[in-house]
Amino acid sequence: MNILLTGGTGLIGGEFIRQYSREHEFTVISRDFAKAKSKLGDNVKIVENVSSIENFENFDAVINLAGEPIADKRWTDTQKKIICNSRWDITSELVSKINSCDAPPPVFLSGSAIGYYGNQGDKLVTEETPPHNEFTHELCAKWETIAQSVDQAKTRVVTLRTGVVLTEKGGALEKMALPFKLGAGGTLGSGSQYLAWIHLQDMVRAISFLLENSACSGAFNLTAPEPVTNKEFSKALAKSLNRPCLFNVPGFVMKIAMGESSTMILEGQRVIPQKLTTAGFSFDFPSIDEALREIYRA
């Protein structure tokens, strides 16, 4: 396939290109041309913005993974606006381009997150679970609505409700593992809140599966089939690093340190990939022990 990709220098996009560069041709949209070229190499075409692409009919698929990291900074009003606009604006631009084509790309995969569901406690969450209205839901709901405004008589649309992506290459796991590596790891808050996660390799395999499977459309949870509580995750991480799990960071400390964004860690969601498994996708790393064992195998 000839694929247009946003977010190609990010954790997921970069790994997808690395894994599938022999099967597909990639054009990546990046504001930092030099960085993208250095990271992705000469076989990937780099363009600086959506408007510079003249012929969308040339693409067999569009994969939209762009967005400001959601948990790197406190959620001030300004930062919330940056988080939203970094997703909504480029998605709107892509949709406009796709809808202006006489023969548009047959498939559009667009990012979302399990934050769509908001706080669900320990309830088992599928794609059919009604959401709890809060910032992350509002962010993801509008993001998905924009993507779904593509003319679906011509273009199949899939939105990727992604959980916490685990990899040794960075991202959330790098931050979560640091206290354990220093011998100061432990649970966060009550420890009973759920973490819906996915190994990076299963993440990119799932994207490829949804790209190729014409029967798949709508929202899909991209999470492993076995979500775990923070306590279970902390113990598994400590074991995989051969470090103790002795401490507990109280919820109020997390709220002081992170502000409103601490709700993502202190509340969590017990999300399962019901539609993905029903469609026939098989996970290489369904359990947290298997995933962490592979990541820290060295």
Side-chain angles (χ1 to χ4, degrees):
M1 289 186 180
N2 185 11
I3 298 174
L4 176 66
L5 179 69
T6 72
T9 59
L11 199 65
I12 299 168
E15 183 66 15
F16 186 80
I17 292 171
R18 191 183 74 80
Q19 291 277 348
Y20 295 99
S21 59
R22 292 183 179 180
E23 298 180 30
H24 306 300
E25 296 179 10
F26 290 97
T27 298
V28 168
I29 298 173
S30 176
R31 290 172 295 179
D32 191 334
F33 183 92
K35 176 186 175 183
K37 180 60 68 176
S38 173
K39 183 169 184 177
L40 301 175
D42 294 331
N43 292 330
V44 175
K45 182 180 179 182
I46 312 297
V47 295
E48 294 186 355
N49 51 58
V50 177
S51 60
S52 64
I53 303 170
E54 294 182 359
N55 195 346
F56 256 61
E57 283 90 346
N58 288 340
F59 295 111
D60 301 304
V62 178
I63 303 176
N64 177 32
L65 303 175
E68 171 83 3
I70 194 167
D72 281 7
K73 299 177 182 178
R74 292 178 72 91
W75 286 352
T76 62
D77 289 343
T78 299
Q79 184 61 17
K80 281 184 176 181
K81 187 174 181 179
I82 291 171
I83 289 169
C84 291
N85 290 344
S86 68
R87 289 160 173 78
W88 298 345
D89 291 353
I90 193 164
T91 306
S92 295
E93 292 174 27
L94 290 169
V95 167
S96 178
K97 278 282 193 177
I98 292 170
N99 283 342
S100 68
C101 295
D102 292 329
V107 57
F108 178 40
L109 270 56
S110 190
S112 185
I114 58 172
Y116 174 91
Y117 301 106
N119 180 20
Q120 297 286 341
D122 61 359
K123 181 193 304 180
L124 202 61
V125 176
T126 73
E127 288 85 356
E128 302 304 317
T129 301
H132 177 264
N133 192 31
E134 54 192 80
F135 170 65
T136 56
H137 169 68
E138 293 170 1
L139 165 67
C140 295
K142 183 170 179 179
W143 196 7
E144 292 188 16
T145 297
I146 295 169
Q148 294 285 354
S149 66
V150 159
D151 182 355
Q152 296 183 47
K154 298 179 179 179
T155 300
R156 176 170 61 92
V157 179
V158 180
T159 53
L160 313 172
R161 292 179 182 168
T162 306
V164 175
V165 179
L166 302 183
T167 172
E168 76 280 9
K169 298 180 180 180
L173 183 59
E174 185 176 51
K175 297 175 183 177
M176 291 187 287
L178 181 58
F180 288 89
K181 291 179 179 179
L182 297 174
T187 57
L188 303 175
S190 69
S192 63
Q193 72 275 28
Y194 275 85
L195 176 72
W197 58 276
I198 185 170
H199 191 292
L200 178 61
Q201 296 307 314
D202 280 332
M203 179 72 197
V204 297
R205 288 181 55 249
I207 291 174
S208 180
F209 178 88
L210 293 169
L211 187 69
E212 303 282 355
N213 193 333
S214 61
C216 296
S217 63
F220 279 76
N221 293 336
L222 269 63
T223 61
E226 299 179 21
V228 291
T229 64
N230 178 263
K231 184 176 182 179
E232 291 169 331
F233 172 78
S234 299
K235 287 184 175 180
L237 181 56
K239 180 180 178 182
S240 67
L241 293 169
N242 196 27
R243 293 290 193 275
C245 181
L246 301 174
F247 302 96
N248 171 260
V249 180
F252 76 88
V253 175
M254 298 294 295
K255 291 176 182 178
I256 292 171
M258 298 179 63
E260 185 184 352
S261 65
S262 65
T263 58
M264 292 192 301
I265 296 172
L266 297 175
E267 295 175 357
Q269 294 128 332
R270 192 182 179 189
V271 180
I272 59 171
Q274 182 168 283
K275 285 179 64 178
L276 194 59
T277 52
T278 299
F281 182 79
S282 178
F283 286 81
D284 286 342
F285 306 101
S287 75
I288 194 64
D289 287 330
E290 290 172 298
L292 293 175
R293 190 180 306 122
E294 192 282 331
I295 290 171
Y296 295 116
R297 61 194 179 279

